[in-house]
Amino acid sequence: LPDLSGIDRATDFGLVFTGFLELPAAGSWTIHVASDDGTRLFVAGKQVIDNDGQHAMQERSATLELPAGHHPVRLEYAQGKGDKGLAVFFEGPGTPRQVVPASAWSHADGLP
């Protein structure tokens, strides 16, 4: 689960979150990443969101046609000076826009 709440450091650090995002249905999914400062999101090895750089909280989105099931993701986050923040949302077939719940994230050892 991409989360900054346990990070004690306020400035000048980077994090990489890797794992799987489980989608309950096939179809058109929009993933939104809001961050202060930079982020890049990769799905199945392909960069789909580039929100890199030092900036206040801003959101970028990507819409993808994806089958139901687990999808490998990599989220890169870089924090410079000032405030920090990170949130990931999704919306798709039968799923209104919402913060991606912890139950939709997993690691390789958590796959069925």
Side-chain angles (χ1 to χ4, degrees), residues 36-58:
D36 175 353
D37 290 308
T39 48
R40 295 189 310 161
L41 177 69
F42 300 79
V43 176
K46 179 182 176 190
Q47 183 174 320
V48 297
I49 294 178
D50 184 351
N51 194 15
D52 208 6
Q54 292 192 17
H55 49 75
M57 188 68 99
Q58 68 182 17

Side-chain angles (χ1 to χ4, degrees), residues 4 17 23-24 27 29-30 33 42 44 46 58 65 72 76 80 86 89 93-94 103 110-111:
L4 301 179
F17 300 94
L23 301 177
W29 285 87
T30 301
V33 177
F42 300 79
K46 179 182 176 190
Q58 68 182 17
E65 288 294 324
E76 299 173 349
L86 177 63
F89 307 87
S103 61
L111 289 177

Side-chain angles (χ1 to χ4, degrees), residues 5-19:
S5 64
I7 306 299
D8 292 332
R9 193 167 180 155
T11 63
D12 303 317
F13 67 90
L15 300 169
V16 176
F17 300 94
T18 59

